[in-house]
Amino acid sequence: EAGVAQSPRYKIIEKRQSVAFWCNPISGHATLYWYQQILGQGPKLLIQFQNNGVVDDSQLPKDRFSAERLKGVDSTLKIQPAKLEDSAVYLCASSLGGRAIDTQYFGPGTRLTVL
Amino acid sequence: KNEVEQSPQNLTAQEGEFITINCSYSVGISALHWLQQHPGGGIVSLFMLSSGKKKHGRLIATINIQEKHSSLHITASHPRDSAVYICAVDTGNQFYFGTGTSLTVIP
């Protein structure tokens, strides 16, 4: 079974530029999560989708971050414009349903460096 | 103050040693999770606990709900156990993550 795919794996941009990350969850998984992990910290949930609807985006900085999950499958996370403090690893995870984290499958992450 | 505190932050052990990582939390929870993150960034879920104790191979996780404390134990540690171990709690409304414990097991 293929795992969660993310691209790109690495991205370096200058501040005020825009960037987008892509995630393809495991086939059939209804729930998709985006996490931000800043160096030295634990992951922080940015947004959770159930199919193509948003369940929780309370920690998403909506002035600059946006995410969508068209057709309830792939998802993109965008940052516009990026700030230095956005440098982090962005992890995508999917689960069959619900919120039980032990059923979440994580992708390899995208490491973003903002200069 | 963080809702989830882990200790130690860094841990170096000799191969074969018994290892304990601690997690304390300050919120009411429906479940506690132990995650393992390897240097490549991939995260693997090790345990989900709501009470008592779970064992998987050389890994043991315990939780004391009254004391709001959990421990992850690794018996007969091996260099391949080197990773960051993260404690996360689910309040039912939100997840809170600890900052992780970086474990290095030396051959």
Side-chain angles (χ1 to χ4, degrees):
Chain A
E1 179 183 82
V4 176
Q6 288 188 247
S7 68
R9 291 296 310 276
Y10 304 92
K11 189 74 177 179
I12 301 174
I13 61 173
E14 295 186 348
K15 60 183 178 183
R16 291 187 288 274
Q17 285 188 317
S18 300
V19 65
F21 311 129
W22 174 82
C23 173
N24 181 259
I26 292 173
S27 177
H29 280 195
T31 308
L32 185 147
Y33 310 79
W34 282 104
Y35 293 89
Q36 179 194 57
Q37 186 176 22
I38 293 172
L39 187 65
Q41 300 180 19
K44 180 178 83 171
L45 179 66
L46 293 177
I47 189 166
Q48 177 186 346
F49 291 96
Q50 184 80 15
N51 296 309
N52 61 349
V54 176
V55 173
D56 181 0
D57 64 355
S58 57
Q59 298 190 88
L60 185 74
K62 298 181 184 62
D63 57 333
R64 297 183 300 106
F65 286 65
S66 64
E68 60 182 9
R69 192 183 182 198
L70 299 176
K71 301 180 182 178
V73 182
D74 293 6
S75 177
T76 56
L77 176 69
K78 296 179 182 177
I79 308 175
Q80 181 179 6
K83 293 186 176 181
L84 296 176
E85 59 261 34
D86 298 332
S87 294
V89 174
Y90 292 84
L91 294 162
C92 178
S94 71
S95 67
L96 199 56
R99 300 198 66 191
I101 198 171
D102 67 335
T103 62
Q104 285 189 29
Y105 298 85
F106 286 82
T110 296
R111 184 175 298 278
L112 173 68
T113 302
V114 182
L115 304 175
Chain B
K1 183 184 186 301
N2 294 330
E3 288 80 1
V4 180
E5 299 277 357
Q6 281 185 241
S7 65
Q9 275 192 303
N10 297 285
L11 181 57
T12 301
Q14 287 291 133
E15 182 173 357
E17 284 186 6
F18 180 84
I19 290 163
T20 296
I21 300 171
N22 295 300
C23 174
S24 296
Y25 53 92
S26 58
V27 293
I29 68 170
S30 58
L32 181 144
H33 304 265
W34 282 102
L35 311 172
Q36 181 191 54
Q37 184 172 31
H38 282 282
I43 292 179
V44 174
S45 175
L46 297 174
F47 296 103
M48 184 185 77
L49 296 162
S50 54
S51 66
K53 175 179 172 179
K54 285 189 177 180
K55 185 176 189 291
H56 181 71
R58 295 181 294 105
L59 302 178
I60 303 166
T62 63
I63 187 168
N64 185 317
I65 298 296
Q66 287 72 33
E67 294 185 1
K68 295 190 172 181
H69 181 269
S70 176
S71 293
L72 176 69
H73 306 286
I74 305 175
T75 61
S77 59
H78 190 277
R80 64 175 174 268
D81 298 326
S82 298
V84 175
Y85 292 83
I86 301 171
C87 172
V89 299
D90 180 359
T91 66
N93 295 316
Q94 194 168 350
F95 284 114
Y96 294 99
F97 291 82
T99 55
T101 296
S102 179
L103 171 65
T104 302
V105 181
I106 300 171

